[in-house]
Amino acid sequence: MIRILSFFFYLLSFFTIFPSFGDLQSSCYLSLNMLSEEEYKNYLDQSTDLLDKIEKLKSDYHASIESVGMLEFYNDPNTISLLSNHLILAEEQNSPHIDFFKSEFLFLKGTTLNELLLYQEAISVLTEAIAYNPSNIEAFIERAAAYFEINQLPLALQDYESAKRIPIPPFLNANYFAIQAEFYIPKNKIDFSNGLILGIVSGASLATQEFFPSLFGSLRGLLNGLWAFACSPAEISQELVVAAYALGDFIKSHSTTECLQCVIPELKELSSSWDDLTDHLKGKKIGFIIGKYGLDIFAPIGVLKGIDKVKALRRANTMLTLEICQQSKIKQLKILEESSKHATLRTSFISEAVENGKILLKNSNTKCHIMQKKHAWDKIFNLTGDIEIDIKKLIIILEEHGINAPSNLIGKPELFPIASPKIKKSIFEKKINNHIIHAEFETYLETGVTFLQDAWVVTK
Amino acid sequence: MNKNVEIDSLFQKKLLKEICLLYRPEEVAKALTFKEALITAYLLLYNKEWDSDIQNYAADLLKEIRNIYPNHWIENWEYDALLGLAYYITSQHEERYAAYKRAFEKIQSNPPPRLLIELARCCICPGPPPISYDEGISLVMQALKQGLYTDGISVLCNLYSLKEDKVKLEYWSKILKNSNQNLDSPSIEPKFLVEEYLKNEKQS
């Protein structure tokens, strides 16, 4: 809260530069007289929204600063020029706080770039932010995270140490993000943390076996991986516990997660049952999602909606990882080892499975699809009704009968997309227990990895 | 910034996965123009990771586009064929047949061979097929009159395998083996979408 108040202090100086909202508009108009009439009209239209937000700045600093982040994210020169005008005018007025503003502005930009996983760009912007305000603790931490992601651990630790060395003014002694999340503290923190650890461990173990194509391409995403847990689960930080709880609480109530629920089936269950769960189960379920999918699954919400909870969780994870790395070289190595072990494990799991003729499923959703009633598996074996058990039995049957042997291939594999093929779809059929089994496999042409996409018992 | 502006801005920046994670298909179809929404759906359907969740979203988006822009949609049978393809990729078998059938019914005469083949392929599904294997075979034969397309022969092999007609399966498998493997029936995907996809591929 104190940090927020300090921001208001700066804002107060900001508004002494622009005594009234009308003056603000006229000042901007003067700076915009280079534009044609049409360009100016467009500019004004586009700026209306921003002007409303700047008006809001007087009462709600945080919301407005997120809007600035949004504008930076969209990188629209017409609308962000208004903010730049503020900075230019503040410079003209010789405001003593101009460097602070510039640093905060660049810090926001750097955070956004980090959230978009553009680490090199983030480093360059955050370096600038630090140059404007060498006491910008958050900029150091954010840059440390970016260095960590590009495998520059020494530089990451150097930034983390610098951040820790910066004396925190007495009015900034509380962490802003922690304060944001503090309204959502679990009643029984120990139960929640224990559940969180268990959930993360079991979710992460599943992530090594299943194939989850990253929503953001093939990035290392070290800080999305919660490696500190793997290294030393006992050292779970209070900040992380609070942030994870806050995210769970947010998921429960927020409508913007509806679409995310389509992608993460576990989220739907979590959001509908959150209020009825014990703190231990809450921790376990949210931990499972974080462990299984990584933190980057929440990135779009964090970037676009400015959700504090995602930011708080990400920050807490960064801090925890760096803190543990900093404690000793051994722990540092352990974390790096854990992260590379995880990656190797997944690679070897897939390649071993391919070598041994094992059938791989793409993800959990494939199981539900294949085990639908109309796929008629009850004609082949006795179903238990438990999808996990039944799919395992089915895979064993398909493997034992060598369903995907070349001799069972029917016709010619199809290629998708036709214009520039990435996937090969092959159809295999074999008679098992007097029934024709139809199985469709998809092969990623780039990697050669094949997954079972669909299968059923043919019923005429 | 309102929802429509946000979606449009994300579309302009081609941040389509973010669109799919943050907005419902209905919202996206409403916020974008007919063509833009189609481009979004097409690029998501052929997403780089071949992620099935994103593909399901793309199929839902196409369905919404059809609901929201019925007049544009009805203008070209290729849109229904595209919806059929989306349902094929996402293994929604009943919906696939319905979409291909609509495309077929919109064409007055000379249906393109690919559409005939895709319609016949609908027999390959769990549960009772929407058309009989013989009807499927007849559709493929009609397509093969226009050229000895390997995708058509391949479907024919599938249908004879399902019919357990070993003689014909062997016969057509031999023809497939000896045929020009590159001679597939011409694509029926809307050209502007294919161009957009290739442009996007180049950029990325």
Side-chain angles (χ1 to χ4, degrees):
Chain A
M1 188 54 71
I2 297 163
R3 179 156 186 179
I4 298 171
L5 287 174
S6 76
F7 279 135
F8 278 115
F9 162 74
Y10 282 110
L11 287 174
L12 206 63
S13 353
F14 185 75
F15 283 106
T16 49
I17 299 168
F18 310 111
S20 79
F21 204 61
D23 287 350
L24 175 72
Q25 280 177 298
S26 346
S27 312
C28 294
Y29 181 73
L30 288 171
S31 311
L32 293 166
N33 57 10
M34 303 291 285
L35 299 176
S36 72
E37 211 175 298
E38 200 188 330
E39 281 171 327
Y40 178 65
K41 196 178 165 293
N42 282 339
Y43 171 78
L44 273 189
D45 288 343
Q46 288 175 20
S47 303
T48 313
D49 194 36
L50 178 66
L51 288 168
D52 289 340
K53 280 168 181 164
I54 289 173
E55 180 68 17
K56 220 180 149 199
L57 194 70
K58 290 170 186 168
S59 59
D60 185 350
Y61 171 77
H62 183 71
S64 302
I65 214 77
E66 288 297 349
S67 309
V68 172
M70 283 283 285
L71 294 169
E72 274 296 322
F73 170 67
Y74 289 130
N75 197 19
D76 184 337
N78 282 329
T79 44
I80 61 167
S81 63
L82 190 59
L83 183 85
S84 306
N85 281 335
H86 299 170
L87 294 172
I88 292 163
L89 287 167
E91 249 175 355
E92 282 169 6
Q93 301 274 343
N94 246 344
S95 161
H97 305 297
I98 187 65
D99 282 353
F100 170 88
F101 271 115
K102 281 183 179 169
S103 183
E104 283 295 313
F105 186 73
L106 290 164
F107 160 66
L108 275 173
K109 190 175 176 178
T111 308
T112 308
L113 287 166
N114 251 355
E115 284 167 358
L116 288 169
L117 314 179
L118 299 167
Y119 303 119
Q120 291 288 5
E121 290 88 337
I123 289 167
S124 131
V125 169
L126 290 163
T127 304
E128 228 183 308
I130 291 164
Y132 277 117
N133 178 13
S135 301
N136 193 335
I137 298 174
E138 297 298 332
F140 272 109
I141 292 173
E142 203 58 40
R143 194 174 68 175
Y147 278 133
F148 201 103
E149 294 291 0
I150 58 162
N151 208 16
Q152 297 279 352
L153 190 58
L155 289 174
L157 290 175
Q158 194 179 306
D159 268 1
Y160 183 61
E161 278 158 28
S162 304
K164 281 174 86 176
R165 273 202 304 271
I166 295 168
I168 304 172
F171 55 87
L172 286 182
N173 62 357
N175 179 274
Y176 170 71
F177 290 101
I179 288 167
Q180 285 292 310
E182 212 160 340
F183 302 105
Y184 303 95
I185 291 174
K187 277 182 197 150
N188 192 334
K189 237 189 234 182
I190 296 172
D191 266 6
F192 182 80
S193 346
N194 288 341
L196 189 69
I197 295 167
L198 284 175
I200 289 173
V201 171
S202 72
S205 67
L206 198 67
T208 57
Q209 293 169 29
E210 292 200 5
F211 176 73
F212 295 107
S214 165
L215 287 161
F216 292 95
S218 57
L219 287 139
R220 195 152 176 241
L222 264 176
L223 288 174
N224 283 318
L226 299 143
W227 308 114
F229 277 101
C231 169
S232 136
E235 289 178 75
I236 183 165
S237 73
Q238 185 175 313
E239 197 180 336
L240 200 113
V241 169
V242 169
Y245 190 86
L247 184 65
D249 209 70
F250 167 80
I251 286 162
K252 174 201 77 179
S253 53
H254 215 283
S255 61
T256 54
T257 54
E258 278 170 24
C259 291
L260 209 55
Q261 286 173 9
C262 305
V263 184
I264 311 172
E266 293 90 346
L267 268 187
K268 201 169 189 171
E269 196 209 326
L270 182 78
S271 69
S272 59
S273 61
W274 181 260
D275 284 335
D276 305 323
L277 297 173
T278 61
D279 279 337
H280 179 80
L281 273 177
K282 278 179 183 172
K284 202 170 168 186
K285 284 186 185 279
I286 188 85
F288 182 82
I289 294 169
I290 295 167
K292 183 170 168 185
Y293 297 96
L295 291 179
D296 64 344
I297 195 82
F298 300 110
I301 291 185
V303 171
L304 295 175
K305 298 288 172 191
I307 303 303
D308 314 329
K309 286 61 181 181
V310 178
K311 289 188 175 178
L313 186 63
R314 203 176 135 267
R315 186 185 183 282
N317 183 42
T318 306
M319 297 280 281
L320 180 66
T321 310
L322 292 173
E323 182 63 40
I324 291 178
C325 274
Q326 200 203 25
Q327 283 171 14
S328 72
K329 274 269 176 226
I330 295 172
K331 286 186 176 178
Q332 205 178 97
L333 286 171
K334 184 98 200 286
I335 284 187
L336 289 178
E337 193 189 305
E338 278 299 329
S339 66
S340 62
K341 203 165 81 185
H342 186 268
T344 319
L345 204 67
R346 279 182 69 160
T347 317
S348 64
F349 179 84
I350 291 174
S351 55
E352 262 175 43
V354 171
E355 270 173 34
N356 300 329
K358 295 270 178 208
I359 292 173
L360 291 173
L361 288 171
K362 202 164 168 184
N363 56 41
S364 311
N365 300 343
T366 320
K367 296 177 193 171
C368 305
H369 178 80
I370 292 177
M371 294 316 296
Q372 286 177 95
K373 204 179 170 191
K374 67 175 177 183
H375 289 226
W377 295 113
D378 52 348
K379 292 184 188 298
I380 301 291
F381 66 101
N382 291 329
L383 298 172
T384 66
D386 182 325
I387 289 180
E388 292 293 331
I389 298 170
D390 292 338
I391 192 85
K392 274 184 191 158
K393 271 191 190 174
L394 173 64
I395 298 290
I396 291 170
I397 293 172
L398 296 180
E399 282 171 357
E400 278 174 359
H401 286 83
I403 184 87
N404 52 350
S407 56
N408 297 328
L409 180 72
I410 305 287
K412 186 186 85 162
E414 274 183 276
L415 295 174
F416 293 100
I418 303 170
S420 164
K422 287 193 181 79
I423 294 288
K424 183 174 81 175
K425 182 174 179 169
S426 311
I427 291 176
F428 297 88
E429 281 176 2
K430 188 170 188 185
K431 225 170 185 176
I432 302 175
N433 298 348
N434 280 324
H435 290 281
I436 299 175
I437 304 299
H438 175 101
E440 299 183 351
F441 287 83
E442 281 179 352
T443 304
Y444 283 69
L445 294 175
E446 200 182 332
T447 58
V449 180
T450 299
F451 295 97
L452 177 64
Q453 191 245 343
D454 206 351
W456 60 81
V457 178
V458 174
T459 48
K460 292 170 191 172
Chain B
M1 217 174 280
N2 74 37
K3 209 177 269 180
N4 289 0
V5 176
E6 279 179 17
I7 294 172
D8 185 58
S9 182
L10 288 169
F11 171 79
Q12 301 304 336
K13 298 216 168 287
K14 290 283 179 289
L15 292 167
L16 305 183
K17 282 175 202 164
E18 281 75 1
I19 289 184
C20 134
L21 283 171
L22 290 163
Y23 303 97
R24 283 188 287 273
E26 191 193 353
E27 293 171 333
V28 178
K30 278 182 185 161
L32 300 175
T33 65
F34 176 69
K35 273 201 167 181
E36 286 171 343
L38 277 178
I39 290 170
T40 306
Y42 189 79
L43 296 181
L44 287 173
L45 184 68
Y46 285 154
N47 73 83
K48 203 176 159 191
E49 294 82 15
W50 203 250
D51 183 320
S52 52
D53 296 319
I54 296 176
Q55 289 169 336
N56 279 317
Y57 183 94
D60 289 345
L61 178 55
L62 284 171
K63 195 177 126 194
E64 289 302 336
I65 298 169
R66 181 173 170 250
N67 290 339
I68 290 163
Y69 300 102
N71 296 334
H72 286 91
W73 188 271
I74 210 156
E75 276 171 14
N76 194 342
W77 60 269
E78 285 179 349
Y79 302 139
D80 273 310
L82 178 65
L83 185 57
L85 169 75
Y87 285 139
Y88 175 42
I89 289 174
T90 54
S91 299
Q92 299 181 61
H93 302 280
E94 288 92 352
E95 293 85 350
R96 165 178 62 150
Y97 174 68
Y100 278 131
K101 198 174 161 224
R102 277 196 305 272
F104 186 75
E105 283 166 355
K106 274 184 198 166
I107 301 170
Q108 300 297 320
S109 57
N110 296 329
R114 175 60 67 110
L115 186 60
L116 293 165
I117 293 166
E118 292 308 329
L119 207 51
R121 206 196 296 274
C122 293
C123 291
I124 308 164
C125 66
I131 50 171
S132 70
Y133 295 144
D134 288 332
E135 281 172 304
I137 290 167
S138 148
L139 286 167
V140 180
M141 288 301 191
Q142 209 181 320
L144 293 185
K145 276 182 193 162
Q146 298 178 47
L148 206 55
Y149 302 118
T150 49
D151 52 341
I153 304 171
S154 187
V155 171
L156 212 49
C157 293
N158 261 290
L159 295 175
Y160 283 123
S161 163
L162 291 168
K163 268 191 89 175
E164 299 187 67
D165 186 337
K166 281 185 185 165
V167 178
K168 288 205 170 142
L169 171 62
E170 210 169 296
Y171 172 78
W172 283 104
S173 296
K174 258 185 201 165
I175 291 187
L176 181 64
K177 208 176 163 188
N178 298 324
S179 64
N180 175 1
Q181 291 293 311
N182 296 322
L183 187 66
D184 276 339
S185 59
S187 163
I188 49 173
E189 292 172 21
K191 270 198 184 103
F192 77 95
L193 292 177
V194 178
E195 281 164 11
E196 194 65 36
Y197 172 80
L198 291 172
K199 199 171 88 187
N200 201 52
E201 279 279 281
K202 241 184 200 175
Q203 280 168 359
S204 64

